[in-house]
Amino acid sequence: MAAPLKDKVPPHNDDAEQAALGAVLLDNDAIDAALQFIRPDDFYATANRKVFEAVLNLYNQGRQKADIITVVAELRRMGELDAAGGPAYVASLTNVVPSSANIDHYALLVQDCSLRRALLRLSAEMNTHSFDESTEARMILEEAQQRILELGESRLQSSFKSTRELVNKAIERIEELSHSKTNYTGIPSGFDDLDTMTSGFQKSELAIIGARPSMGKTALALTVASHITMDKKIPAAFFSLEMSDIALVLRLLSSESKIESEKIRKGFFSSSEKAKIYHAAERLYEAPLFIVDTPGMKLLDLRSMARRLRFQHKVEILFIDYLTLITSDNRDIPRHEQIAEISRSLKSLARELEIPVVALSQLRRDAEGKQPNLADIRESGSIEQDADLVMFLHRERETDVKPGKEGDGKTELIIAKQRNGPVGKVDIVFIPRYARFESLAKGYQ
């Protein structure tokens, strides 16, 4: 019968720890290789940990090399010589290995055991938290996910590359792009003029689409999402925090079939129009578009759902309608601080999942009737700071249009910020009866 978990000795490898220490004592240059993988806390044995701390002290001072004599002297100065096993133990470490040639291998073995111990500690903490009924289960799950990701990031091997290696990779990338069937490096929006300026939505970037109410933020996001999923067959997720999932699908059917949304809502359409609606439904049925309909969704739930969609369905882009409707997990802080937290978290999520995140945002009331700018983003300047791409929708209000008619729908899509590209304007057309945007020339066909 296997021993109870509580009676098991935590994972460790005494031979690997001693071999790593012996290697750095034999060859002081080996410390640079060791530090790519391990730190003092990675050693299980107290004596080994103290010896490595002394080696690091000497390394950081840079005045003398770490060998048996200098390490013993440093341990004595630290008052840790006895805890490190005394001079005899330190001297014995150089007899464990013949050279420093395999320092990477020894250090990786030490790191592996350290990571296993860290996972066991995390597991024990989560076990304790799970019995604490004062903490929501979702909060515990989010903490566990975040802590595991932090463990993985902390164990990433740092390295350097020469330009000889990097130039070869850069040329390979250029060759790929030259033979690519697309002109864009990111996910195309479907608006050629916009994609020419941005090269599409880029991985790991946070994009913001801002506008005053009734300017068509949701319509633009749905137009782009339908192009990405229905035309390009790229999986995407749409988080709807305001409209129901059925309402979104009805808007998509109106937009794709070009049958007025009012007719679809009331069921007043001809047989030929019905055929168009069913054809659009067939295309939408095959589209890899996932809709999340949760009013007042909490930030931690959004992050958790986004991870699931990314890993289970290979989603390549997220749309969030809209940012200021996300509920912060910390309701005790001021609203502008909550928005700042949400903004930072969405940027972090984009980087973590390595996909674009496109979030819609309301603008301040005083942005009404004028061309919007970055200062008009509602509730927090952190959105402007965290975003890699900020776009605004702007057109004149059609207050003078006679009933039953529409204005020309000309809309400026203003790129107010682009971290890695130009700023400027793109002219597009809003078609209200279909709740759809099109490129300027196409919209007037």
Side-chain angles (χ1 to χ4, degrees), residues 15 177 253 331:
D15 292 340
L177 293 172
L253 289 175
R331 305 298 296 274

Side-chain angles (χ1 to χ4, degrees), residues 12-13 16-17 38 104-114:
H12 66 284
N13 189 325
E17 290 187 7
I38 53 176
D104 287 8
H105 177 67
Y106 306 143
L108 278 170
L109 290 174
V110 174
Q111 184 198 67
D112 182 79
C113 290
S114 175

